[in-house]
Amino acid sequence: MGERDEPAAIGRRVQRLRVERGLTQRQLAEPVYTPAYVSTLEAGRVRPSDDALRHLAGRLGVAFDELATGRPARLVTELRLRLTGAQRTLAVGETETAVEQYAGLLAEAEAHGLVEEQAAALLGLGECALEAGEPAGGRGYFERAEARLAEAPLPARVPALRGRAVAHYLAGELRYAVYLLESTIDELNRGGLHDPDALLLLYASAIGPYMDMGAHARAAQAAELALALAPQSGDPALVARMHRSVARTLLAEGRLAEADASLARAAELYRGLQLRTELANCHWMRGYVYAQNGELERAEQEMREALEMLSAKRASLYSSQVTVELADVLRRRGRPREAAALLEEVLGGLSPERGAVHAAAAHRLLGLIAEDARQAERAEEHYVRALSLLERAGAAGDLADLCRLLGDLLRRTGRVEAALDAYRTGLGHRTAPGTTTLGPAPAPPPF
């Protein structure tokens, strides 16, 4: 027996609809049931079976679900249609409008007790918060979505889990973000729950935290797996719009199941559009690998492609991360002024509370550029700022490297004791147990 209201509520609904249609209890009951049964049902003294509700719904000219729950038959499908509209709004970067749409949908879904639709609206609000650079608010929405989906299979909970992990990452909690992502990947793959969409979301989201922790090999592997899993579609936005249009037509014709199927496909495609941020990270990762191999031209191409995928209206923290890496490539290609201009622009949009690791990376590069220009005092100033930011974020591997750079600079300028202090600080971070290492890699997907 499916979800339904209490007998008293159903009885009142049956009586109201019967009176509105001018039917007697006998006319409603025959030929299968008796007037006495309908009278008892309307009084709320009997819980009707599914067969009885189907008979009554047919006589009253309403859908089974509407009689059992009080929700209009089209309500759920219409809400899903509007949810895909909100997804599209967010996908094209209109975050404030998407927030209004999702908030309205959440209120309606809660009013009608629609759990799945509540979770979808909460996920949307969480994504809006991440796009707006508000990880704490986003985490709250994702936690609420997880709570709504507590009884759902793991693949259905992955978007909420991934959202929570990204929120922790953007707040500087790198190790916990990696733990959430890897434990979920491991549970999916070891449990035989191979879901390409879920895995793509998780692998792509792990790249940023891996890189900030210095786990470059694992980041490269995650990037290749994500790109292999990426759905192949020429223009997902166009196909999604087509599915929404088809769903509208089917809904108007009363073909609700088919409309729901089209909306499910549209929602999947809009999720793919939101994955542009993660897929951009994959191109950035490839660029990083090329840069490590000295293939600087190819590295610049990949990183510029990544930046192009990140709309100016969204994903500012991600684009900052890519921009810093691109600046490093430009510096190595002999274009320090262009690199410095990019870095100064990045620093204008970051703060110690928002994007500390990326701001530190920008200061580190500006320090190197200053050293190349024989501006030792300016270089030292940037290194010290970077150290302060990294200490707050707990990025131990980067701290060790920065201490080495600062120590070398101090030694070259004759301050040997200060240089030794910097080296000792770096060694302390390098050897601190558990700060730069990860546990075993999660189980690989079956392919």
Side-chain angles (χ1 to χ4, degrees):
M1 194 173 290
E3 177 191 353
R4 60 170 60 186
D5 286 341
E6 291 300 312
I10 294 175
R12 288 193 297 271
R13 191 173 301 125
V14 168
Q15 184 180 46
R16 175 178 57 79
L17 291 170
R18 177 180 63 77
V19 172
E20 285 176 359
R21 285 153 178 73
L23 297 175
T24 64
Q25 290 180 337
R26 181 178 299 280
Q27 289 172 322
L28 181 59
E30 292 180 341
V32 182
Y33 299 96
T34 65
Y37 175 75
V38 172
S39 176
T40 305
L41 188 153
E42 290 183 349
R45 294 197 298 270
V46 63
R47 179 178 293 275
S49 66
D50 283 359
D51 287 341
L53 281 179
R54 288 193 184 92
H55 167 79
L56 296 172
R59 300 287 287 174
L60 293 167
V62 298
F64 171 89
D65 284 344
E66 183 173 354
L67 195 60
T69 66
R71 294 194 291 263
R74 296 160 57 98
L75 174 68
V76 175
T77 303
E78 287 175 346
L79 277 177
R80 289 173 182 167
L81 183 65
R82 289 164 56 201
L83 278 166
T84 61
Q87 283 181 290
R88 179 189 178 279
T89 302
L90 177 58
V92 299
E94 297 174 11
T95 307
E96 292 182 4
T97 304
V99 169
E100 294 177 3
Q101 292 174 339
Y102 279 123
L105 287 162
L106 176 61
E108 287 189 49
E110 287 178 337
H112 292 283
L114 299 169
V115 175
E116 289 184 18
E117 287 68 29
Q118 289 176 44
L122 287 165
L123 283 172
L125 288 167
E127 292 294 343
C128 290
L130 294 188
E131 297 290 357
E134 300 169 1
R139 186 170 67 248
Y141 286 123
F142 291 125
E143 287 171 352
R144 289 170 63 188
E146 276 189 82
R148 299 293 195 283
L149 298 170
E151 303 301 320
L154 179 58
R157 290 183 276 120
V158 161
L161 284 162
R162 170 262 176 195
R164 188 154 59 91
V166 173
H168 283 289
Y169 165 54
L170 295 179
E173 299 161 7
L174 309 182
R175 292 187 62 79
Y176 189 63
V178 167
Y179 162 76
L180 284 175
L181 293 167
E182 288 196 338
S183 59
T184 308
I185 291 171
D186 207 40
E187 189 175 349
L188 280 170
N189 288 333
R190 292 189 186 281
L193 299 170
H194 180 59
D195 185 300
D197 290 334
L199 288 171
L200 169 59
L201 199 59
L202 294 166
Y203 281 124
S205 300
I207 294 169
Y210 280 152
M211 290 298 295
D212 285 351
M213 293 180 70
H216 299 155
R218 203 168 287 189
Q221 181 188 36
E224 293 306 320
L225 287 168
L227 289 170
L229 288 162
Q232 301 298 312
S233 60
D235 186 346
L238 183 63
V239 178
R241 283 197 296 272
M242 178 272 292
H243 279 289
R244 287 193 72 227
S245 298
V246 169
R248 286 180 188 276
T249 303
L250 294 170
L251 183 58
E253 296 174 357
R255 297 157 64 184
L256 302 187
E258 294 168 81
D260 279 342
S262 280
L263 289 173
R265 179 59 180 148
E268 179 184 346
L269 289 162
Y270 283 128
R271 279 195 296 273
L273 286 174
Q274 286 176 253
L275 273 173
R276 280 179 72 85
T277 298
E278 282 74 16
L279 293 176
N281 275 348
C282 298
H283 286 287
W284 159 61
M285 185 63 235
R286 279 184 168 172
Y288 178 85
V289 171
Y290 287 139
Q292 292 296 101
N293 292 336
E295 301 174 68
L296 299 181
E297 184 177 353
R298 295 181 72 183
E300 182 179 348
Q301 290 173 354
E302 288 285 349
M303 289 178 185
R304 289 196 183 280
E305 182 171 355
L307 278 175
E308 189 176 342
M309 294 176 72
L310 297 168
S311 166
K313 293 184 180 179
R314 51 179 295 188
S316 58
L317 287 177
Y318 295 107
S319 59
S320 298
Q321 188 174 25
V322 179
T323 301
V324 170
E325 294 292 345
L326 175 59
D328 186 37
V329 170
L330 294 174
R331 181 187 72 87
R332 292 167 62 186
R333 296 195 72 186
R335 292 146 66 185
R337 289 184 180 178
E338 190 178 346
L342 284 176
L343 295 168
E344 295 289 355
E345 185 179 342
V346 164
L347 287 172
L350 298 175
S351 68
E353 293 75 30
R354 184 173 178 273
V357 172
H358 307 151
H363 279 297
R364 174 187 176 279
L365 273 176
L366 285 168
L368 289 171
I369 292 170
E371 278 206 74
D372 293 340
R374 301 179 183 274
Q375 299 173 343
E377 187 175 339
R378 187 169 179 78
E380 182 180 348
E381 180 183 337
H382 283 298
Y383 290 153
V384 170
R385 287 186 183 179
L387 276 172
S388 175
L389 290 163
L390 289 175
E391 283 173 348
R392 296 186 188 188
D398 290 338
L399 267 168
D401 173 67
L402 199 55
C403 287
R404 177 188 60 79
L405 288 174
L406 179 59
D408 290 348
L409 175 64
L410 293 169
R411 180 174 53 81
R412 284 196 298 272
T413 54
R415 288 175 284 174
V416 177
E417 285 300 321
L420 287 172
D421 286 341
Y423 290 141
R424 291 189 191 102
T425 302
L427 285 171
H429 285 294
R430 179 66 73 185
T431 57
T435 55
T436 59
T437 58
L438 293 168
F447 66 82

